[in-house]
Amino acid sequence: MGEMEQMKKEAEALKTQIEAARKAVHDTDMASAAAGVAPAPQVQLKTRKTLKGHLAKIYAMHWSTDNRLMVSASQDGKLLIWDSHSGNKVNAVPLKSSWVMTCAYAPSGNLVASGGLDNMCTVYNLKTPVIKTVKELDAHTGYLSCARFLSDTEILTSSGDTTCALWDLETGKQKTVFLNHVGDCMCLSLSPDMNSFVSGACDSLAKLWDVRDGQCKQTFQGHTSDINAISFIPSGNAIITGSDDCTCKMYDIRADQEVICYQDAALNSGVTSLALSTSGRLIFAGYDDFNCNIWDSLKGEKVGVLSGHDNRVSCTGVPEDGMCVCTGSWDSFLKIWN
Amino acid sequence: MSGSSNIVAMKKVVQQLRFEANINRVKVSQAAAELQQFCIQNALQDPLLTGVSSSTNPFRTQKVCSFL
């Protein structure tokens, strides 16, 4: 048998082995296991603030760790920094390229980043008298879909070139490149302990990576279309994904498999974004049908909906203190709900 | 040669699958129980679950009373 044939056979055998190992631990699923848990209350949140200022579709938003400031990115070519308590704009950062797809706030509050169809991640210092570009991270060969700071010296990016990368912000170079997806990487989420992250891609797979050594540790399958959104549960042991296949799924990391699927026959719009409440019990998922649906993460039931946008909900975010949820939309507005 | 680069790519696929096949897996029932415990333990500190009272809601526009 040729070497290629032999390897193909081994690959198939390994895939069968993995499926069997997953089945062997599948003694229940999350919803059945949660039968005895009291249902989450029906969640009725009100719009407390509507942030107006962008002149085109909003593509991304990210909360500062101070629970008050947030950054939003729009294809009007601007990043806006908002004081969510007053609703005022604190800063406006003009972008060299208006085709922005992501933005991020550093945990320190000193830096923000943006990127998109320019294939670059640009980092800005908010604390200098005039906002300055401190680095242009240029090495991806595809669009920048998501960026997340680990600190003021390191940032993680995901790209349409199918890779993710960890960058050193002092040198502007990639320290580690994460290679394994076979489709555009669309989203990423850092684990609470910052030692690993998960990525979702157009190959309909989610992958768990070691931040330091670049190893792909686990691969989660089940979705039948692009994964647009991904987030760790605050406990760090499970992840939630949202997909163009109109469902969200929870994958448990230690059981290495899908444990619950959040779907509804009436829902036939793709999921664009998602965020979790601080206990992990509530999932806020933004959809193409202009709504944000609220799911009980343990029982798999819909417990509420945020309606109010006049176009696709493109981004959602819950601040660290969990006091509200923010939705951003192609209608150019951000809304704060609680 | 495209032939040898295919073999290199396939070797990586097999290597990755070997790695993923070797991890330890925990029973779903145990993973579910621990996740439930986490959610329940943190439920009272989850403002979106418990609700935010108007007096402590930083996003509600405060009406200021002033003496004339």
Side-chain angles (χ1 to χ4, degrees):
Chain A
M1 210 188 294
E3 196 181 359
M4 194 61 167
E5 279 310 302
Q6 227 169 346
M7 288 198 292
K8 280 187 184 171
K9 253 198 125 187
E10 185 176 359
E12 287 313 305
L14 286 165
K15 285 181 192 170
T16 307
Q17 188 188 325
I18 291 172
E19 276 324 295
R22 285 177 177 154
K23 248 192 131 182
V25 296
H26 191 87
D27 55 349
T28 185
D29 63 74
M30 186 65 63
S32 316
V37 175
Q42 285 298 312
V43 181
Q44 282 170 332
L45 305 182
K46 295 202 171 80
T47 304
R48 302 295 178 191
K49 288 270 183 302
T50 298
L51 306 179
K52 305 183 190 196
H54 279 301
L55 304 172
K57 294 174 174 171
I58 292 173
Y59 275 79
M61 63 80 46
H62 194 215
W63 283 96
S64 165
T65 51
D66 73 358
N67 303 308
R68 181 174 181 139
L69 297 177
M70 38 175 266
V71 60
S72 60
S74 162
Q75 293 202 348
D76 63 6
K78 288 216 169 35
L79 292 185
L80 290 179
I81 315 287
W82 305 84
D83 173 341
S84 61
H85 290 182
S86 64
N88 293 333
K89 298 173 229 354
V90 168
N91 269 315
V93 184
L95 303 174
K96 261 195 202 168
S97 162
S98 64
W99 304 112
V100 65
M101 295 174 68
T102 187
C103 60
Y105 224 121
S108 65
N110 295 331
L111 308 171
V112 287
S114 68
L117 294 182
D118 58 355
N119 299 358
M120 290 199 309
C121 180
T122 308
V123 179
Y124 309 86
N125 188 334
L126 293 178
K127 303 293 183 169
T128 44
V130 174
I131 294 177
K132 271 179 17 168
T133 300
V134 295
K135 272 289 178 294
E136 284 178 335
L137 307 174
D138 191 0
H140 280 301
T141 54
Y143 58 82
L144 204 84
S145 52
C146 191
R148 284 292 177 259
F149 286 92
L150 279 77
S151 66
D152 279 4
T153 54
E154 286 181 315
I155 193 168
L156 264 174
T157 56
S158 62
S159 170
D161 67 10
T162 76
T163 74
C164 298
L166 175 69
W167 303 76
D168 179 329
L169 287 176
E170 282 160 345
T171 61
K173 299 270 179 267
Q174 290 180 333
K175 287 209 283 212
T176 314
V177 183
F178 304 88
L179 303 164
N180 208 266
H181 278 296
V182 296
D184 302 12
C185 292
M186 298 302 291
C187 50
L188 69 90
S189 173
L190 253 179
S191 66
D193 69 10
M194 306 232 286
N195 291 326
S196 47
F197 75 96
V198 283
S199 59
C202 291
D203 56 14
S204 69
L205 302 173
K207 286 179 183 286
L208 174 72
W209 308 86
D210 183 307
V211 169
R212 298 298 149 200
D213 68 18
Q215 173 73 46
C216 170
K217 300 197 284 187
Q218 285 170 247
T219 298
F220 303 100
Q221 62 207 52
H223 279 298
T224 53
S225 187
D226 307 357
I227 295 177
N228 298 317
I230 198 164
S231 179
F232 264 94
I233 297 250
S235 66
N237 289 330
I239 61 169
I240 309 283
T241 52
S243 166
D244 272 347
D245 67 12
C246 312
T247 73
C248 294
K249 288 177 189 291
M250 180 193 290
Y251 295 93
D252 188 278
I253 294 192
R254 294 171 317 147
D256 187 43
Q257 58 190 274
E258 177 183 333
V259 292
I260 196 167
C261 182
Y262 308 95
Q263 65 185 356
D264 187 315
L267 281 175
N268 48 23
S269 310
V271 180
T272 60
S273 52
L274 63 89
L276 280 85
S277 70
T278 49
S279 67
R281 187 68 192 265
L282 299 176
I283 301 169
F284 297 90
Y287 290 73
D288 286 343
D289 69 359
F290 311 176
N291 288 329
C292 179
N293 289 310
I294 311 175
W295 297 90
D296 176 339
S297 65
L298 297 180
K299 288 182 173 283
E301 297 160 352
K302 212 171 92 161
V303 294
V305 64
L306 305 177
S307 298
H309 283 294
D310 296 324
N311 206 323
R312 176 186 289 198
V313 173
S314 54
C315 49
T316 50
V318 171
E320 262 176 28
D321 66 0
M323 287 291 279
C324 69
V325 53
C326 178
T327 52
S329 167
W330 279 9
D331 68 8
S332 82
F333 302 123
L334 296 143
K335 286 179 183 286
I336 309 256
W337 313 73
N338 68 13
Chain B
M1 277 227 61
S2 68
S4 58
S5 67
N6 279 345
I7 295 213
V8 169
M10 198 60 199
K11 273 194 177 143
K12 288 195 178 148
V13 168
V14 170
Q15 226 170 16
Q16 179 62 33
L17 283 169
R18 277 187 200 145
F19 186 96
E20 290 184 20
N22 275 335
I23 65 169
N24 284 323
R25 292 171 179 84
V26 156
K27 283 199 189 296
V28 175
S29 54
Q30 183 191 336
E34 290 177 26
L35 185 59
Q36 283 168 29
Q37 197 181 29
F38 181 89
C39 287
I40 291 167
Q41 267 172 353
N42 289 287
L44 290 178
Q45 280 79 47
D46 183 342
L48 288 167
L49 259 187
T50 59
V52 182
S53 76
S54 3
S55 48
T56 55
N57 191 345
F59 304 103
R60 272 195 104 142
T61 335
Q62 298 304 327
K63 301 214 187 316
V64 179
C65 301
S66 51
F67 291 101
L68 297 171

